[in-house]
Amino acid sequence: MKRRTFFQRFGSILAVMGVAEAEWFQLGTRYQQALAQPSPRKLALLVGINQYRQIPALNGCLVDVELQKEVLIHRFGFKPSDILSLTDEQASREFIESAFREHLIGQAKPGDVVVFHFSGYGSRVRLGDSPEAMQNALVPANGIAASSQDAKTVNYLLEETLLLMLRSLPTDRVTAVLDTSYYTPDSLVVPLRVRAHQTPQEAVLVDAELDLQKQLQEKAATEQLGVVLSATSAPNQVAREIQYSGFSAGLFTYALTQYLWETTPKITIPAFISRVGSGMQQLGSTQQPSLLIAKKNQQRVQLVENFFPDTVSAEGVVTATEEDGKTALVWLAGIPPHVLEHYSANSRLTLVNQTGVTTELILRSRSGLTAKTQISSENKTFPQVGQLVQESVRVLPRNINLIVALDGELERIERVDATSAFATVAHVTSVAAGEQTADYVFGKRLDSKNKDFIASTSLIVSPSRYGLFSPSSEKIPNSFGEAGEAVKVAVQRLSPKLQTLLAAKLWRLTDNEGSSRLSVKVSLEIISGIAPRTVMHRETLRTATPESTSKKSTSNEIGHIATIPIGSRVQYRVQNTGNSPIYCMLLGLNSAKNAIALYPWQKVTETDESSEPQLTNIIIASGETLTLPQTTSGFEWVIQGPPSFSETQLIFSTAPFTQTLDALKAAKHPRADQQRILPILNPLEVAYGLLQDLHNASTAKVDSNTIPADSYVLDVNNWASLGFGFQVV
């Protein structure tokens, strides 16, 4: 589908929902207002389907239902009795439509809050002979015929029917979340679970669905001010699932609900979508969410209220207690999935209460999204079911490896050679594709130089080039070798790149924007014209106030992360809004996937012209604002190509980054008389130094005999780490 056609479809959806273009300004606030404002009643219908007839099962749709259910109950105040869940065989087209009529339309009154969620396959079905006759549809549990004799008939729920049902609700506080997609991908490097099913061209939709649509068109209201959030923002994107130890989930649903657990700020519509999309991108996916009825010219509409004006942010909630309250089961969906994957025993969570008494839970084990915790021995207050928990101490293992999956398209001998070669690379583990969560994929692609020649000569076997892919099948820049390269040689060539990617994985694990107790605000700015232009804004949310959160980012396009053109001069503006001085470090991966750092060169004695510049800690005093890097004209940080995703991590600590700076010194870059952004030649050593510095800051006043020797212990009172991800164009 061409871009113009895609946005024309948005226009048709707008018409179906009865929304005039000028009214769109009001739509953006509805998702947050609907969930945050008091109302007589809050109703939800949650649909998740893993098991289908005749087509491969999905893995994460039932978890999606649980993710939504927990956040609706414990953050938005929904009553469990007002949430109806339809899963697997319960979620037939007839049952979904009936539940919508009876549970939502039949019970909702003006001013009530209504949420509809769907996780499952999506598809495209033809309703006529013209190209416009192809329509998006949700695939219910009985959408595909059980027998081959009826294979030409599909029992789908049309997207247009769903929008008409939303219009039929008597309230305007309506939110629909669709974690599905409609266009099947041409190919995937790894056997990812994607939520898109290809329907045969000759398939015919059941008459009952078309009849219902006609009835709704006659009765539905002429206006609808609800919000529909979609898992994808373009036809070539697919809604994918993530797989971690103990659970699978929809990438979009997890990113959305995790962000909602932790955040409380005012935020613009594009910034909200961008924040969720940025989290998805950092997990290795090019999939980007969108507001289904978005228009490009309303970029700066600001929400009038916070997400949750009456509740605090949290990382999870107590779901059960055992042993007279001494043991508690805790739902931890407020923690980013890549952090949760390595969340170790002895991590600590603080119970949220109104008494002023601090009660800590010590993590003992974790199964999927549920952790088993024990109350700290010095605490006397026992946890209660429904009580929110906030992160206090994060414990990470010291022996974290980079996980590389071997593409299923590799020949058996190639996989054997690759397994043998990866075994010789330190801190890297190879696995079969789909076996477990992987950070990257080792695979091959046809040499583009020979592609046309091979096609013209009809050759079957052709030279390929080995390299790395992201989990969503995107090529990693500068990772592919020459055609004809041996597998073992390719792995050896990639060894430095693998160490760089592992280093980035390690410093991403420090991200704690939602839980840090340090008070920091950071803006990424493009230096242009008279005043810098803010591209992104981050701040530690637990210390944020409604007034401090008014300055928020906007992205260049609805459903897309921020973009920065090649050649742009950029800087970070950092403000320490706390009461004590803090230390700062900047690390990152540029768009070529090379490690970079801010090298804080400074002359020890400014008056002595003969003194050599040294790498010194960047200290930000209480109330002080700094720009980083601090450079003179002509030496600014200029964004380089290639066009790809780039990320930086700004890390703050209450103690100096001694070991990090020692590791940076070992690179022996030529000294400069001012701060510079330079490549890191030993990224893994720098990452280990960073974690050790944060560990030392967090355990300075702790008895060393009580600290696990095989772990890093990070206290939220001693560090903050803010991630910035943007697309270089």
Side-chain angles (χ1 to χ4, degrees), residues 390-544:
Q390 296 177 337
E391 182 177 37
S392 176
V393 175
R394 181 179 302 179
V395 177
L396 300 171
R398 290 179 180 264
N399 60 339
I400 295 174
N401 283 1
L402 190 75
I403 309 300
V404 178
L406 304 182
D407 184 5
E409 293 186 2
L410 294 173
E411 301 293 336
R412 182 179 180 277
I413 185 61
E414 291 175 310
R415 293 197 298 272
V416 171
D417 287 347
T419 301
S420 175
F422 277 115
T424 66
V425 181
H427 312 296
V428 175
T429 301
S430 64
V431 299
E435 183 178 284
Q436 68 179 80
T437 305
D439 301 300
Y440 296 93
V441 179
F442 176 77
K444 62 183 179 181
R445 277 296 176 264
L446 181 65
D447 182 16
S448 59
K449 297 178 182 178
N450 299 321
K451 189 178 296 184
D452 294 337
F453 170 75
I454 292 166
S456 64
T457 56
S458 301
L459 292 178
I460 298 176
V461 180
S462 59
S464 297
R465 303 166 65 216
Y466 296 107
L468 297 174
F469 298 86
S470 73
S472 60
S473 303
E474 294 295 312
K475 290 182 179 180
I476 302 301
N478 299 329
S479 72
F480 282 80
E482 295 297 323
E485 181 183 36
V487 170
K488 291 186 176 181
V489 173
V491 173
Q492 292 172 357
R493 172 181 55 79
L494 287 169
S495 181
K497 176 71 74 176
L498 295 169
Q499 304 303 304
T500 296
L501 297 175
L502 174 57
K505 175 181 178 177
L506 294 177
W507 63 61
R508 285 189 207 108
L509 291 177
T510 67
D511 196 291
N512 70 339
E513 178 183 356
S515 64
S516 175
R517 296 289 180 173
L518 297 186
S519 187
V520 187
K521 296 198 294 185
V522 183
S523 295
L524 172 58
E525 301 174 339
I526 293 179
I527 304 171
S528 61
I530 299 175
R533 177 172 65 87
T534 299
V535 179
M536 304 176 68
H537 180 83
R538 298 285 186 267
E539 66 182 293
T540 47
L541 300 175
R542 200 132 290 163
T543 60

Side-chain angles (χ1 to χ4, degrees), residues 331-395:
W331 181 259
L332 289 178
I335 296 176
H338 63 289
V339 174
L340 186 63
E341 183 76 359
H342 299 284
Y343 217 63
S344 297
N346 296 312
S347 294
R348 294 189 173 222
L349 304 161
T350 302
L351 287 171
V352 176
N353 59 55
Q354 306 300 324
T355 64
V357 178
T358 300
T359 302
E360 281 195 333
L361 301 177
I362 304 173
L363 190 145
R364 296 306 184 195
S365 62
R366 180 181 64 86
S367 176
L369 290 162
T370 300
K372 189 171 187 177
T373 66
Q374 288 184 335
I375 190 171
S376 177
S377 58
E378 60 265 24
N379 294 136
K380 302 299 182 182
T381 304
F382 294 113
Q384 303 296 316
V385 173
Q387 201 166 3
L388 299 179
V389 299
Q390 296 177 337
E391 182 177 37
S392 176
V393 175
R394 181 179 302 179
V395 177

